[in-house]
Amino acid sequence: MADIVSACLMLLGALSCLLGAVGLLRLPSMLSRLQAATKPQTLGLFLILAGTAMRVPVDSAVTLVLVALFQVITSPVISQLVGRSAYLSGAVRPEVLVVDELAERGRRAAEPPPQ
């Protein structure tokens, strides 16, 4: 029974990674591609690691938990930094954004300080 659950988790993880790769190729804007590159890939990695953890000894499973934790910490931070640098370099068209919080910060930074 554990083998079947493990195989299902690994297949779902691989499918999630595949859908993320398809989204990376098919989505129109840089920000939506960035979304497709991070969220499904992270979910897919979690599912693959969970399926693998069911098949290995406990001490190796702890290592897989550390890999998952590292992924959770680094992936959103790097995604945010790449998106912000793309926005600041002009690679993102402002008219496709629903909310543009960085433009509001830029306006506030350009205003002279109150005296």
Side-chain angles (χ1 to χ4, degrees):
M1 183 66 178
D3 290 341
I4 294 172
V5 172
S6 176
C8 288
L9 286 173
M10 286 191 228
L11 285 173
L12 285 173
L15 180 65
S16 177
C17 290
L18 178 67
L19 289 176
V22 168
L24 192 60
L25 295 173
R26 302 277 303 175
L27 290 172
S29 70
M30 199 283 300
L31 294 177
S32 57
R33 287 183 185 148
L34 188 61
Q35 180 90 1
T38 54
K39 297 215 179 204
Q41 300 297 334
T42 303
L43 174 66
L45 178 67
F46 282 162
L47 291 172
I48 290 171
L49 289 174
T52 306
M54 294 179 71
R55 303 280 305 161
V56 297
V58 175
D59 56 338
S60 296
V62 171
T63 305
L64 295 176
V65 170
L66 291 175
V67 169
L69 181 66
F70 184 73
Q71 177 73 17
V72 167
I73 292 170
T74 58
S75 182
V77 172
I78 291 173
S79 172
Q80 193 266 343
L81 289 175
V82 169
R84 182 178 291 233
S85 65
Y87 177 86
L88 293 175
S89 70
V92 176
R93 296 187 329 251
E95 63 270 5
V96 300
L97 300 175
V98 176
V99 177
D100 192 358
E101 294 175 358
L102 289 177
E104 295 170 11
R105 281 189 179 174
R107 283 193 297 269
R108 282 185 283 171
E111 294 175 359
Q115 307 244 350

